[in-house]
Amino acid sequence: MVSQAAMRGQRVVESECRCWNLAVWVLVTLLGSLFLVAVSVLMRLGECVCVWGGKLSAHLSKVRLVNGRSQCEGRVEVRYNDSWGTVCDDDWDMVDANVVCQQLGCGVAVAMGSSSHFGQGTGLILLDNVDCRGSETDLSQCRSLGWGVHNCYHYEDVGVTCREPAVVGAKGFEVRTTPPRENSGLRDGTIRLMNGQNACQGRVEIYYQGNWGTVCDDDWVLNNARVVCQQTGCGTAVSAHTNSYFGYGTGLVLLDNVNCHGTEADLTKCKSLGWGKHNCGHHEDAGVTCTGSTTVRPVATESQRILWGTYNTQATENIPVTNASTTTTVTTTVQTKAIPEIRLTNGNNSCQGRVEVRYKSFWGTVCDDDWDMINAHVVCKQLGCGPAIEAKTQAFFGYGSGPILLDNVECSGNERKLSDCFHLGWGQHNCGHHEDAGVICAPFQSLSVSGRDFRVTASIPTTTTLPSEGTVRLVGGQHQCEGRVEMFSDSEWGTVCDDAWDIPDAQVVCRQLGCGEATAAWGEAFFGPGTGTILLDNLKCTGMEASLHNCSHISWAVHNCDHTEDAGVTCSLS
C-alpha cells in the first residue's frame, strides 16, 4: 500500500509537469506568432523596397485610361493582383503623366487633372505619392508608397491626356495637316526667338518632329542663354528670362530642366529631361536677350542697363554745332530723354486696357506699385479719353510681355503725360507681369458744330446692349460649344476657377448655351488662360440648375486661384 506521502509527492510532480507543458505551449505559440509577423513585415518591406528602388520586375502593371474621349485620355487605372484600381493625385505631375503616356504608346502628356476631369473611380486606390524620374517604361517602376498604401479618396483620382508630338498644335489640339519633317527644311533642335523687340531677343522656341514648342524655365540660367545666343548667331547672352517674360507660347513644352555648361554647340546637346517631358505650363516659358551680331547695338543708357545688361555701347549722332557763323559737324555721345507713346491694350475699347508705354523702340508695361486714380487720370487725359473711372492692378487686363518700363509712378494729376510723373527710371522695377497696371476711362466722342470739330468734356452714353447678368460664353475652343468658361457679371467678363469643377457643373453650362450634354469638364486652363476677374470658385452644381450662377459657390470673386486654373467644357453639340 502506497503511503500518503508518496501519493502527495506524485501529485506535486504531475502538477509541475502540467505547468511546464502549459508554459512550453504558450512559449511555442508566441514564437510562432512572432515568426509569422516577422515574415509578413519582411514581405511588405521587400515589396516597398522593390517599389522605391524601381525594381518591381515581378509586378509590372497594366495601365489603362478610363472615361476619356479616346484610349489616350482618361482616369489612370492600374492592375495589380487581378484587380483594377486608381492612382491618387498626391505628388502627381507631368513627369508621372509622361510615363503613363509612353507606357500606353500614346506619345507625350499634354494635360493632367483630377477626378473632376474624368469622374471618380471605384474600388481600390492602388498607388499614392507616385514619383517618376521620367525614364521608367512602366508606372510600377516609379517610386510610391507601395501597392494599396495611401491616404486618399476617389475624388483625388488622377487623369491624363496624351498626344503624339507630331500631331499636337496650338492649345493642345490635333493638327492633322502637319507637314512631313523632310519637307520642312528644318532640323530637330532649330531655335528661334519670338515676341522680342529684335531677332536676338524673345521667347525661346525649339523645333522637333514638325512642330515648334517652348522651353520651360526650370533651372533656366545664363549658361543656357549663352548656348541659345551662340546657336542663333546673336553674340553673347545678356539675360536669361523666366516666367513667360515675352508672353505665353502655345503648343508643346518640348524641353525642361535644361542644364548647359555654356560651351555646347546647340541646346539639344545640354542635359534635359528629354523631348516633351516636363511639369510646366506656358506661364513658365523661358526667354533670352542677346547682344546681337550686328555692328549696331541697342542704345544702353544708364537708365536702360537694367534691361540690356552692362555691355559697352555708345550711341553716336551727328549734331550740327554753330560757332562763330560756321557750322561744324561733331560726333558725340548722346543720352536724350525719349518721348514715349502710350496705349491701352486688351480692353473692350481704346479707352480701357493694360497700360503700355513706348521708350525708344520698345513697348513695355507699367507696374502697379503705387498705381492709383491720379495716375489713371493722367493716362486717360494723355490718350484723349474721358476722366478715369478705375485704376486697375494685378494684371486685370491680362499679362503683358516684354520689359516692364515704369514702376512706382506717382503723378500729381497735372502732368501732360505719364512719363512726366515721378517714377524710378526707365526699366527700373521689382515687378512681374502679374502686376501690370491698367485703366478704365470714360470715352469721348467728337461732335461737329458749325463746321468745326469740338471735343466734348463729358462722356456720351452709348446705345450698345450689354449681355445680361450671368450670361455664359465659351472661348478658345474649336467650335462654339467648346472652350474656356466665361461669365458676364457687373459689366465685365470673368472666368471660373477649376477647383471642384466637374461634369455636373459642365452640364449646366452646356444646357444654358443650348449645346446639348457635357462630354468633358476641363481644368488647368486647357483652352488657355483668360483675363480679368475670376468670378466663381468651388462651384457645386447638381446638374439640374438653369444657369451657372444658380449653383452653390463661395462668394462672388472670392477665390484662391489664378488664370492657369480657368475651367473649360466640351459639349456634345446636340
Side-chain angles (χ1 to χ4, degrees):
M1 187 174 180
V2 181
S3 66
Q4 291 182 352
M7 293 176 65
R8 281 197 299 272
Q10 185 177 354
R11 283 195 293 271
V12 169
V13 171
E14 291 175 353
S15 176
E16 288 177 351
C17 287
R18 282 195 297 270
C19 291
W20 176 249
N21 289 338
L22 179 61
V24 170
W25 181 82
V26 170
L27 181 61
V28 170
T29 302
L30 287 173
L31 288 173
S33 299
L34 288 173
F35 177 75
L36 292 174
V37 169
V39 169
S40 176
V41 169
L42 287 173
M43 289 178 67
R44 173 55 61 88
L45 286 175
E47 180 179 276
C48 290
V49 167
C50 287
V51 174
W52 281 91
K55 302 175 182 177
L56 194 55
S57 58
H59 293 293
L60 291 179
S61 63
K62 291 184 178 179
V63 174
R64 67 184 183 188
L65 299 179
V66 179
N67 229 20
R69 292 181 291 184
S70 70
Q71 64 180 1
C72 291
E73 173 186 83
R75 181 178 63 250
V76 179
E77 295 192 354
V78 292
R79 187 176 178 87
Y80 178 70
N81 280 349
D82 296 325
S83 295
W84 286 100
T86 61
V87 179
C88 182
D89 63 6
D90 294 343
D91 294 334
W92 187 262
D93 58 26
M94 288 294 284
V95 177
D96 308 325
N98 266 316
V99 172
V100 171
C101 294
Q102 291 165 7
Q103 183 176 349
L104 290 169
C106 287
V108 296
V110 294
M112 63 179 191
S114 62
S115 63
S116 62
H117 295 87
F118 304 110
Q120 297 182 18
T122 57
L124 298 172
I125 298 175
L126 286 175
L127 291 176
D128 189 16
N129 290 97
V130 176
D131 182 18
C132 302
R133 296 186 305 275
S135 58
E136 296 86 353
T137 58
D138 189 288
L139 191 65
S140 62
Q141 295 171 343
C142 302
R143 296 178 179 230
S144 72
L145 296 183
W147 292 108
V149 181
H150 67 89
N151 61 345
C152 305
Y153 297 92
H154 279 299
Y155 65 79
E156 300 172 87
D157 290 341
V158 77
V160 301
T161 299
C162 312
R163 291 285 191 279
E164 289 285 354
V167 293
V168 178
K171 298 184 181 177
F173 295 120
E174 293 187 6
V175 178
R176 302 188 182 279
T177 57
T178 303
R181 193 185 344 169
E182 60 269 20
N183 294 334
S184 67
L186 297 174
R187 66 174 182 84
D188 288 351
T190 300
I191 292 285
R192 68 183 182 187
L193 301 179
M194 301 298 293
N195 217 31
Q197 302 298 329
N198 55 58
C200 291
Q201 178 193 66
R203 180 178 60 250
V204 178
E205 296 194 353
I206 191 164
Y207 185 84
Y208 180 67
Q209 291 189 358
N211 290 275
W212 287 99
T214 62
V215 178
C216 183
D217 65 8
D218 293 343
D219 297 333
W220 189 253
V221 294
L222 201 59
N223 275 348
N224 303 337
R226 287 192 181 104
V227 174
V228 170
C229 293
Q230 291 164 10
Q231 183 177 348
T232 54
C234 283
T236 59
V238 177
S239 297
H241 300 285
T242 59
N243 297 321
S244 61
Y245 185 85
F246 294 102
Y248 288 16
T250 57
L252 295 171
V253 179
L254 284 174
L255 291 178
D256 188 17
N257 290 100
V258 177
N259 186 0
C260 303
H261 297 294
T263 57
E264 293 85 353
D266 62 72
L267 202 63
T268 62
K269 301 297 190 294
C270 304
K271 293 181 179 179
S272 70
L273 294 182
W275 291 109
K277 297 177 181 178
H278 66 91
N279 62 346
C280 307
H282 283 298
H283 62 288
E284 301 169 89
D285 287 343
V288 299
T289 296
C290 312
T291 57
S293 60
T294 61
T295 56
V296 180
R297 298 272 180 87
V299 178
T301 64
E302 284 296 321
S303 64
Q304 208 178 2
R305 281 194 180 124
I306 192 166
L307 297 176
W308 290 101
T310 56
Y311 55 87
N312 295 322
T313 303
Q314 287 188 333
T316 61
E317 189 172 316
N318 292 328
I319 300 177
V321 178
T322 302
N323 186 13
S325 301
T326 63
T327 301
T328 306
T329 300
V330 299
T331 300
T332 182
T333 300
V334 179
Q335 293 183 359
T336 59
K337 182 178 180 181
I339 301 175
E341 300 173 22
I342 195 165
R343 67 185 181 189
L344 300 180
T345 61
N346 223 28
N348 291 330
N349 56 58
S350 61
C351 287
Q352 66 171 238
R354 180 177 60 249
V355 178
E356 296 188 354
V357 293
R358 185 172 180 172
Y359 181 73
K360 301 287 186 183
S361 59
F362 301 101
W363 281 102
T365 61
V366 179
C367 183
D368 65 7
D369 294 342
D370 298 330
W371 189 252
D372 57 20
M373 284 292 289
I374 298 176
N375 301 336
H377 175 70
V378 173
V379 171
C380 296
K381 182 170 59 175
Q382 183 178 351
L383 288 164
C385 297
I389 298 173
E390 288 187 72
K392 293 293 188 180
T393 59
Q394 296 180 331
F396 182 86
F397 293 102
Y399 289 17
S401 60
I404 298 172
L405 288 175
L406 294 178
D407 189 17
N408 291 98
V409 177
E410 291 184 22
C411 301
S412 66
N414 299 318
E415 296 86 355
R416 290 189 306 109
K417 53 185 183 291
L418 196 66
S419 59
D420 292 337
C421 303
F422 171 82
H423 56 80
L424 296 182
W426 290 105
Q428 299 187 35
H429 66 89
N430 61 346
C431 306
H433 281 298
H434 62 286
E435 300 171 87
D436 287 343
V439 299
I440 297 177
C441 312
F444 269 114
Q445 292 186 354
S446 296
L447 298 180
S448 180
V449 181
S450 301
R452 298 179 61 188
D453 288 335
F454 291 87
R455 180 151 290 190
V456 297
T457 58
S459 59
I460 306 296
T462 61
T463 58
T464 56
T465 303
L466 294 176
S468 60
E469 194 79 6
T471 298
V472 169
R473 69 182 182 186
L474 300 179
V475 179
Q478 292 179 308
H479 49 76
Q480 64 181 359
C481 289
E482 176 184 74
R484 179 178 63 251
V485 178
E486 296 191 355
M487 175 180 280
F488 192 81
S489 177
D490 198 20
S491 300
E492 65 180 8
W493 288 99
T495 62
V496 178
C497 182
D498 65 4
D499 292 345
W501 183 255
D502 56 18
I503 286 292
D505 305 328
Q507 185 69 25
V508 173
V509 172
C510 293
R511 185 186 303 112
Q512 186 175 350
L513 291 169
C515 284
E517 300 294 313
T519 59
W522 300 99
E524 299 177 341
F526 186 83
F527 297 101
T531 59
T533 304
I534 298 174
L535 292 172
L536 292 175
D537 191 15
N538 289 100
L539 268 169
K540 294 181 181 177
C541 302
T542 64
M544 303 303 295
E545 293 85 352
S547 62
L548 205 59
H549 72 273
N550 291 332
C551 300
S552 171
H553 59 83
I554 58 179
S555 300
W556 288 93
V558 176
H559 61 86
N560 61 345
C561 308
D562 60 31
H563 283 299
T564 64
E565 301 171 85
D566 286 344
V569 301
T570 299
C571 309
S572 66
L573 292 172
S574 60

